[in-house]
Amino acid sequence: MEKVRFTEEKATMLATLYGRALDARGDRPILGDKAADEAVKQIDYDFASLGVNPDMGLTVAMRAKPMDDWASAFLREHPDATVVQLGCGMDSRVYRVDPPPSVRWFDVDYPDVVDLRARIYPARDGYRTIGSSVTDFGWLDEIPSDKPGLVIAEGLTMYLRPSEGEELLRRLIAHFPQGGEMVFDIFSRLGIKLQKLNPVVRKAKATLYWGIDEISELERLGLTLVSKLDSTDYATPEVKARISASMRAQLWVAGLFPAFKKMGRILRMRF
């Protein structure tokens, strides 16, 4: 068993890993992420202390599913693309999407995170990890720029300071002269203000910084919106049938108020 001790925002990656594992254990999983379930079994950590229940596991899977689908759609159009997943944590997306060997896929996160990944997940052709903070921009020198790029960032932007996030996006756009897409999620400024209501953030003693209210804030950096989902749109009718009555009620109430609908959004943007 791997002994894991992470603090602050790095501990949140274990919460999302556990959420995907709980989804995989269900009778009708959304992601069916068996790699996540196997990883949880290999890591010696008190996952129950994270406060992630089956409902929260479904919300983790609901957020990941459209991001997987958009990534797969891009790679069908660009089967020789370069993929960069930022702040990958213990996400097993490369195994879920299962790109062809012609795709070069890079997962970037802190060195201790990628070291754990190397001990838990198997190697595969066309895939490698880079141990670095995403805001230490030297890692970009290791990414080929001769093909279209796909950038994926799940559960990352809100942990960056606004100046860091904007600079990261600018550098990524400039790095891929053939263009590409970005798939990522954001919090609104209200979401940042209410961050302590998020049990995972609260238990990890993490701090969120970057809230984005208007898509135009990203478009001025050189991005164009392709698709978006508000937080109340993540759950399809099939998914809603699986979650608890209390969570269905929360989603219904949130849908009545635009500010709550936009507290969390998933974006697919072109550059």
Side-chain angles (χ1 to χ4, degrees):
M1 297 286 280
E2 297 289 343
K3 192 68 177 176
V4 179
R5 290 187 180 90
F6 289 137
T7 58
E8 297 181 346
E9 70 270 12
K10 281 186 276 186
T12 63
M13 73 175 189
L14 297 178
T16 53
L17 174 67
Y18 190 50
R20 291 189 295 272
L22 290 178
D23 169 65
R25 296 172 190 175
D27 295 333
R28 293 179 294 164
I30 298 170
L31 292 178
D33 193 340
K34 297 298 184 184
D37 193 21
E38 288 302 315
V40 165
K41 292 173 183 175
Q42 293 181 61
I43 296 173
D44 182 11
Y45 187 86
D46 181 12
F47 284 93
S49 69
L50 296 170
V52 178
N53 58 31
D55 266 353
M56 290 181 64
L58 281 173
T59 64
V60 169
M62 283 190 297
R63 181 179 69 177
K65 183 64 166 65
M67 299 180 81
D68 283 4
D69 291 346
W70 288 342
S72 296
F74 181 84
L75 293 177
R76 284 194 295 270
E77 295 181 16
H78 305 280
D80 60 347
T82 298
V83 180
V84 182
Q85 181 169 227
L86 302 174
C88 60
M90 290 302 292
D91 193 352
S92 50
R93 176 167 279 116
V94 67
Y95 305 99
R96 295 196 305 269
V97 173
D98 193 23
S102 54
V103 168
R104 296 168 296 187
W105 187 302
F106 299 83
D107 276 352
V108 183
D109 212 317
Y110 293 103
D112 53 349
V113 175
V114 301
D115 179 62
L116 177 61
R117 291 183 65 90
R119 302 199 301 270
I120 297 292
Y121 290 130
R124 57 175 288 144
D125 291 341
Y127 171 70
R128 62 169 287 213
T129 56
I130 299 175
S132 173
S133 165
V134 300
T135 55
D136 292 339
F137 299 116
W139 62 265
L140 261 172
D141 295 336
E142 302 184 48
I143 307 296
S145 58
D146 59 328
K147 301 292 183 182
L150 173 63
V151 179
I152 305 171
E154 180 179 354
L156 171 69
T157 63
M158 55 289 297
Y159 289 96
L160 304 176
R161 296 184 185 276
S163 59
E164 293 175 330
E166 292 183 4
E167 180 65 14
L168 176 62
L169 296 185
R170 287 193 186 98
R171 286 179 181 249
L172 285 163
I173 291 168
H175 188 77
F176 292 104
Q178 295 194 36
E181 291 187 2
M182 294 189 188
V183 174
F184 58 103
D185 57 332
I186 61 173
F187 276 7
S188 68
R189 290 178 177 83
L190 178 61
I192 299 298
K193 289 179 180 178
L194 299 179
Q195 61 184 276
K196 294 308 178 185
L197 297 180
N198 184 320
V200 172
V201 173
R202 187 171 63 250
K203 284 178 179 290
K205 299 180 180 178
T207 302
L208 309 182
Y209 298 100
W210 192 15
I212 301 167
D213 286 339
E214 302 297 334
I215 303 300
S216 59
E217 298 174 47
L218 297 166
E219 291 176 329
R220 64 181 173 80
L221 303 175
L223 295 169
T224 301
L225 183 67
V226 177
S227 300
K228 71 177 178 69
L229 289 172
D230 293 335
S231 56
T232 51
D233 298 328
Y234 298 177
T236 63
E238 180 186 7
V239 170
K240 287 180 180 178
R242 288 184 246 172
I243 60 181
S244 68
S246 63
M247 178 157 282
R248 285 198 300 273
Q250 290 175 41
L251 287 172
W252 180 79
V253 171
L256 299 177
F257 302 95
F260 287 113
K261 286 182 64 174
K262 295 181 180 180
M263 275 180 54
R265 283 174 286 179
I266 306 173
L267 307 177
R268 179 182 182 183
M269 305 196 79
R270 183 182 300 116
F271 60 90

